[in-house]
Amino acid sequence: MPDPTDTKADVMRTKSPAPPRAAARGGPAAGPPARERAEARRGGAEARQRRRRETLAGYLFLSPWCLGMLLLTLGPMLASLYLSFTDYDLFNAPRWTGLANYRDMFDDPRWLASVGVTLKYVLIATPLKLAAALGVALLLARPRAGQGFYRSAFYAPSLIGASVSIGIVWRAIFQDDAVVDQSLSLFGLEIGGWVGDPDWAIYTLVALAAWQFGAPMVIFLAGLKQVPRELYEAAEVDGAGPWRRFRSVTLPMISPVVFFNLLLETIHSFQVFTSAYVVSNGSGGPADSTLFYTLYLYEKGFREFRMGYASAMAWMLLLGVGLVTLVLFRTQRGWVHYEGEGAGPR
């Protein structure tokens, strides 16, 4: 009688496929056919060539920006850094003087006056401009007829406010017996012309800056559109009035936008030049009351031809703006609230 175990083993051997010849000899298992391997290699080579072409195209599109960055920004910056340590008048070769230009600045009373005028302008004009922008943005955020026209009308001064023509008009309306002087006289305010008064001249430029609130207004509008309506409804249910809703809902929700606008407008205020030049006829007067930092830098570089001193002033301005920016970033942790970070301040 045959052994059942032997019969089962024979059946399994009959059903099992024969092992590959290479495997039976102990070699590696047979791979894909040579044609498939060749096609895979050819496909990989084509993919590498396509990536190289795309990379080359990307660098070609970036090349104008890279050349502009090197030739028009980075190169002049490095040149001005070198010139800030030299005595250079545009006509003779630079003469190395070390830190003399930087030491002379702190002994220059007009440089100190320009720093004071610029800081005063930044501290007054920037908050006024942002307050006007936020106030108008709150009004325009509500649906009303002709909303597009009002947005365009309020934004227009930001497009033309920095032009020379607006500076000339602004100087004309703030002179003696001009529009502003006559209007204030109707209310019994005999101030006289603002442009010729050292106590009031800077406020003509502050008013011009506040008038150009269109750009931050548009950014505030975008931020207000992102505030969930449910938060206002919940505050109304809790009995919060308009001021409480603004302070407890609107301001915390748009605080990143407020910080963004504050940062941009502060930097922009340090760089004011055109309006100050036109209103003061390029002199910074009267009595240096409108002698902004950039205006004094221009005077040193292109009137007195002390280009080394002007370069040192430019780098001091860069350091000052960088320091102010750093302070703003440090302090924003206590009042800027970001979505997803909880109710507490950052």
Side-chain angles (χ1 to χ4, degrees):
M1 183 174 180
D3 188 355
T5 305
D6 296 339
T7 305
K8 186 176 181 180
D10 293 340
V11 173
M12 293 298 294
R13 282 196 297 271
T14 303
K15 292 183 177 181
S16 300
R21 186 173 300 173
R25 290 196 301 266
R35 181 178 179 182
E36 295 181 4
R37 293 198 299 270
E39 291 178 353
R41 285 196 299 269
R42 186 164 56 250
E46 292 177 353
R48 287 192 295 272
Q49 291 179 358
R50 185 170 58 254
R51 286 196 296 269
R52 283 196 293 268
R53 288 195 299 268
E54 293 174 352
T55 302
L56 178 60
Y59 281 121
L60 287 176
F61 281 111
L62 282 173
S63 59
W65 182 90
C66 294
L67 290 175
M69 180 67 182
L70 292 174
L71 299 178
L72 301 178
T73 303
L74 187 59
M77 283 182 64
L78 295 177
S80 70
L81 180 60
Y82 166 73
L83 292 176
S84 69
F85 298 101
T86 65
D87 181 10
Y88 180 50
D89 59 3
L90 292 178
F91 303 105
N92 300 303
R95 183 173 59 86
W96 184 266
T97 57
L99 296 174
N101 289 324
Y102 293 93
R103 289 194 298 266
D104 291 345
M105 272 190 287
F106 292 96
D107 295 330
D108 185 356
R110 295 197 74 203
W111 180 82
L112 295 174
S114 69
V115 172
V117 169
T118 304
L119 289 176
K120 181 179 179 180
Y121 175 83
V122 171
L123 293 175
I124 298 176
T126 303
L128 283 178
K129 186 175 183 178
L130 293 181
L134 181 56
V136 176
L138 289 170
L139 294 176
L140 295 181
R142 301 175 181 177
R144 55 172 44 86
Q147 193 173 43
F149 168 77
Y150 288 120
R151 290 181 181 179
S152 302
F154 283 118
Y155 181 73
S158 293
L159 299 177
I160 62 175
S163 63
V164 175
S165 58
I166 293 298
I168 295 174
V169 172
W170 211 258
R171 175 182 173 83
I173 66 176
F174 279 94
Q175 287 181 339
D176 291 340
D177 295 326
V179 176
V180 174
D181 191 10
Q182 295 176 4
S183 300
L184 293 177
S185 298
L186 297 176
F187 299 96
L189 299 175
E190 300 292 341
I191 298 177
W194 292 25
V195 175
D197 190 338
D199 295 329
W200 289 92
I202 191 173
Y203 295 105
T204 63
L205 299 171
V206 170
L208 179 57
W211 180 64
Q212 303 173 48
F213 60 80
M217 177 203 70
V218 172
I219 299 175
F220 278 134
L221 272 174
L224 290 171
K225 293 294 184 181
Q226 303 303 317
V227 180
R229 184 62 191 171
E230 295 79 6
L231 296 180
Y232 292 112
E233 295 174 352
E236 290 178 2
V237 170
D238 291 340
W243 169 246
R244 182 60 183 273
R245 292 197 299 269
F246 172 76
R247 186 169 59 88
S248 301
V249 178
T250 304
L251 275 183
M253 293 301 297
I254 67 169
S255 56
V257 180
V258 175
F259 173 71
F260 178 77
N261 273 333
L262 176 63
L263 186 63
L264 287 187
E265 294 304 326
T266 300
I267 295 174
H268 178 72
S269 296
F270 275 104
Q271 299 173 338
V272 63
F273 173 78
T274 303
S275 57
Y277 184 89
V278 174
V279 171
S280 68
N281 278 333
S283 64
D288 289 344
S289 60
T290 59
L291 185 65
F292 286 86
Y293 194 96
T294 53
L295 187 58
Y296 190 52
L297 188 154
Y298 171 83
E299 179 180 322
K300 286 295 182 182
F302 295 97
R303 287 183 178 173
E304 300 180 11
F305 299 107
R306 296 184 60 185
M307 193 57 65
Y309 190 89
S311 299
M313 286 185 61
W315 278 94
M316 287 297 292
L317 177 62
L318 176 64
L319 293 176
V321 172
L323 179 61
V324 172
T325 302
L326 178 62
V327 170
L328 289 177
F329 270 100
R330 292 287 186 179
T331 57
Q332 60 101 17
R333 297 175 180 272
W335 60 275
V336 179
H337 306 268
Y338 291 94
E339 187 176 358
E341 294 187 351
R346 187 180 178 185

